[in-house]
Amino acid sequence: MLGSVSEADDAVQEAWLRLNRVGDDVDQIGNLGGWLHTVVSRICLDMLRARQARREEPLDDVPERGWAREDPEAEAVLADSVGRALLVVLDTLAPAERIAFVLHDLFAVPFDRIGPIVDRSPATAKKLASRARQRLRSNPTASASELAARRKVIEAFLAAARDGDLDTLLDVLAPDAVRRSDPAVLPPGAPAEVRGARAVAESIMQFGRRAHLAEIALVNGELGVVVAPGGRLALVLTFTIDGGLVTGYEVIASPRRLATFELALSEPPRSGHR
């Protein structure tokens, strides 16, 4: 619901404090599990609304703040339990949509229980989840076979980048491959454009540490990559692929450019209980 291990800890701690404040009346709670479920969900909803309000501030330093937040252990938890692409797309939803979708689609909570949590009727809660589902599962522009072929190339590209495997990168890059990048993610003096498979592969070796934060997603209906430290979008990679080889890719970091992309899941989300 929050996409943050530390914020999830805060939400559980706040729920525990509220339970302690109930004191001796705790025996009057007919369904303690249901009570805790509702309280935690409402706390998460409030935290999401507060986060959304903070986004009205300037966002020019989002990539830098994202790398600064990176915690290897927390990153592993997020990647294994939820998936970065899902977190990135969930971040585009309104708070009530996000809560309704997560509770119903990932944890099979019925809408008659979700409605009171988001202060809506069960029917409206169902509409919120449906709207969120449509946003998360945008229609790709390519056929299933084309998507599968493109996915295979991008997966090989990411695996080689994560492993620092120069030879495999050279195998997946076209001889005249081009890499373009927003200057904000490059060290001072580094060129925004690099041409030729070897030069591109060697540049990937320098910046490949971020590949472990990358995950395939639909970007404007085409398979691309999102890079999301802490589950928060920092970079988008768009690819041109021809003949099973990467002929070019672009690294986009500008918050204003990132905000123009329509992001969606490339595969159905993993369910917590179904």
Side-chain angles (χ1 to χ4, degrees), residues 32-81:
L32 182 58
W35 185 91
L36 287 168
H37 197 162
T38 297
V39 169
V40 170
S41 297
R42 285 178 173 167
I43 291 170
C44 289
L45 181 61
D46 289 341
M47 294 173 74
L48 289 171
R49 286 170 172 162
R51 182 193 298 172
Q52 189 177 58
R54 290 196 300 270
R55 284 182 184 159
E56 295 176 1
E57 302 171 1
L59 297 175
D60 290 338
D61 64 339
V62 164
E64 288 75 10
R65 285 189 290 179
W67 308 128
R69 278 195 303 266
E70 186 182 339
D71 178 315
E73 184 177 353
E75 291 294 340
V77 170
L78 285 176
D80 292 342
S81 63

Side-chain angles (χ1 to χ4, degrees), residues 2 5-22 35-47:
L2 292 172
V5 174
S6 62
E7 288 184 353
D9 285 340
D10 290 344
V12 172
Q13 178 70 13
E14 175 61 22
W16 178 251
L17 292 174
R18 293 187 187 186
L19 180 62
N20 284 340
R21 287 197 290 269
V22 172
W35 185 91
L36 287 168
H37 197 162
T38 297
V39 169
V40 170
S41 297
R42 285 178 173 167
I43 291 170
C44 289
L45 181 61
D46 289 341
M47 294 173 74

Side-chain angles (χ1 to χ4, degrees), residues 177-270:
V178 180
R179 186 227 71 202
R180 296 182 177 87
S181 179
D182 280 351
V185 296
L186 299 173
E193 181 175 293
V194 176
R195 291 182 171 272
R198 180 161 291 276
V200 171
E202 289 174 351
S203 73
I204 293 171
M205 292 295 96
Q206 296 175 16
F207 309 113
R209 68 178 184 85
R210 295 174 179 174
H212 74 283
L213 301 170
E215 194 168 306
I216 296 174
L218 283 174
V219 180
N220 290 345
E222 296 187 357
L223 282 184
V225 166
V226 294
V227 180
R232 307 293 168 79
L233 184 65
L235 307 174
V236 163
L237 276 64
T238 60
F239 292 82
T240 54
I241 296 173
D242 186 27
L245 297 174
V246 175
T247 60
Y249 74 99
E250 184 175 8
V251 183
I252 297 106
S254 163
R256 289 174 178 80
R257 290 188 67 192
L258 294 178
T260 66
F261 289 121
E262 180 182 327
L263 303 176
L265 299 180
S266 63
E267 295 180 316
R270 286 170 277 179

Side-chain angles (χ1 to χ4, degrees), residues 101 128-139 262 264:
F101 172 82
L128 289 173
S130 176
R131 193 156 60 227
R133 200 177 300 118
Q134 291 174 358
R135 293 273 300 277
L136 266 68
R137 300 171 183 172
S138 177
N139 292 325
E262 180 182 327

